[in-house]
Amino acid sequence: MKKLFFLIAILTVAFSLSACGAKPELPAASAPGKAEGANQGSDTQGNTLEAIKQKGKLTVAIDDTFPPMEYRNDKNELVGFDIDLAKAVAKEIGVEAEFIPSAWDGILPGLDAKKYDMIMSSMNITDERKQKANFSEYLKLGQIVAVKSGNPLGIKSKEDLKGKIVGVQLGATSETAARKIPGVKEIKTYNGYTDAFNDMGLGRLDAIVVAEAVGRYYMKTKPDTFEIVGDTFQSLPVGIAVRKNDADLLKALDTAVQTVKNNGTYGEISTKWFGTDKSKE
């Protein structure tokens, strides 16, 4: 009988502790910045740069439909201004560049998800984008208006796009610029400018708002098909995007960009693709 009373007493105490909110011991929390499944070298405190140097490889996200900045030639090789400059920048850091083609509308989320180390794809630096990434500036580009050769609608500037059907690249700064133009009848979005220019050639678009470098490239390659009207507008800086916590990588990129400008490499690459040395601008 005494044993029975003793057992009941123990159970009563245990139940009381549980009812009063006694908590089991929890496992220790993970260390900050050590998310499960994160890529090696993509943690906080600048470890991405250390990992890049250990691997000997800098992974670079690009949109490979953006000539002359980054695109595929007739041999399916990646070529362009950004391609050449990224290789030069990687060389200054002491590694090789590896390019990862990515859809433009998902390129920033891919950076945040650590699918690559950085984005170097003619990305304009905007206040909205600065909320999501840090940037190493390396160029300035504006927007232009492209129309069919002969300019059948008499469009002379962006102000003449009122009542017109305008093509842009989805998620690009050109889309933002076009949506700020008053009175545009319709804005059609495309994953790449090749489709937009093809549609304009077929009469499905009245004009295209496009980054200046891309528009002038199409003018150079297809001079009898398209032409540029009006002045360049909404000129913005272009930068290499890195994750917010990759301060060491950002600093290394700033140094590398300045070095290739100082030693003449930037000028050679710029002259090759634009016919002018943009390091002086």
Side-chain angles (χ1 to χ4, degrees):
M1 183 65 70
K2 288 181 179 180
K3 290 181 179 180
L4 178 59
F5 285 145
F6 182 74
L7 179 59
I8 291 173
I10 290 175
L11 292 173
T12 300
V13 171
F15 179 80
S16 297
L17 287 172
S18 176
C20 291
K23 298 178 181 179
E25 186 176 348
L26 298 176
S30 299
K34 298 288 184 179
E36 184 176 350
N39 293 338
Q40 182 182 5
S42 296
D43 298 329
T44 57
Q45 308 305 322
N47 288 340
T48 298
L49 178 60
E50 181 183 344
I52 288 167
K53 290 184 175 181
Q54 289 177 352
K55 292 183 297 183
K57 180 174 63 177
L58 176 65
T59 53
V60 184
I62 58 161
D63 170 9
D64 60 354
T65 65
F66 205 69
M69 307 305 287
E70 48 272 322
Y71 67 105
R72 293 187 181 275
N73 62 17
D74 53 8
K75 297 179 181 178
N76 202 38
E77 299 167 329
L78 281 172
V79 295
F81 174 81
D82 282 338
I83 303 300
D84 287 349
L85 189 60
K87 289 177 180 178
V89 166
K91 183 178 179 181
E92 290 300 324
I93 295 175
V95 297
E96 293 184 356
E98 178 181 307
F99 298 99
I100 302 177
S102 306
W104 185 254
D105 57 349
I107 205 165
L108 273 171
L111 178 67
D112 191 52
K114 302 176 182 177
K115 293 181 178 179
Y116 25 80
D117 300 317
M118 70 183 207
I119 301 168
M120 189 169 179
S121 193
S122 309
M123 180 173 281
N124 285 124
I125 303 172
T126 64
D127 289 338
E128 180 182 0
R129 286 171 179 163
K130 284 193 288 187
Q131 300 300 315
K132 302 174 183 178
N134 286 335
F135 290 88
S136 176
E137 183 180 336
Y138 66 97
L139 186 66
K140 278 188 171 64
L141 288 177
Q143 305 295 321
I144 56 172
V145 176
V147 299
K148 289 183 69 171
S149 182
N151 195 8
L153 299 178
I155 297 170
K156 297 180 180 179
S157 69
K158 63 184 177 65
E159 285 74 21
D160 292 332
L161 297 181
K162 182 178 180 179
K164 305 296 190 295
I165 300 173
V166 178
V168 296
Q169 183 177 25
L170 177 65
T173 313
S174 58
E175 180 181 1
T176 304
R179 294 192 184 281
K180 291 181 179 179
I181 300 172
V184 173
K185 179 180 179 180
E186 181 184 355
I187 292 176
K188 289 188 176 182
T189 59
Y190 298 83
N191 287 327
Y193 276 115
T194 301
D195 291 338
F197 276 94
N198 286 340
D199 262 11
M200 188 162 70
L202 293 171
R204 296 169 181 164
L205 295 175
D206 299 323
I208 296 172
V209 173
V210 55
E212 180 182 7
V214 178
R216 296 198 183 283
Y217 168 80
Y218 275 96
M219 272 290 298
K220 180 180 178 181
T221 56
K222 300 180 180 181
D224 298 327
T225 309
F226 311 108
E227 61 184 81
I228 295 166
V229 296
D231 298 324
T232 303
F233 63 100
Q234 195 176 299
S235 183
L236 291 171
V238 174
I240 304 169
V242 300
R243 286 179 289 276
K244 280 288 190 179
N245 53 25
D246 283 334
D248 287 352
L249 176 57
L250 182 66
K251 184 178 179 180
L253 291 170
D254 285 341
T255 300
V257 169
Q258 191 58 53
T259 299
V260 297
K261 284 185 175 182
N262 293 342
N263 66 20
T265 303
Y266 188 107
E268 292 175 4
I269 295 170
S270 175
T271 301
K272 171 184 174 181
W273 292 104
F274 304 131
T276 184
D277 183 357
K278 285 188 169 290
S279 68
K280 307 300 183 183
E281 297 180 3

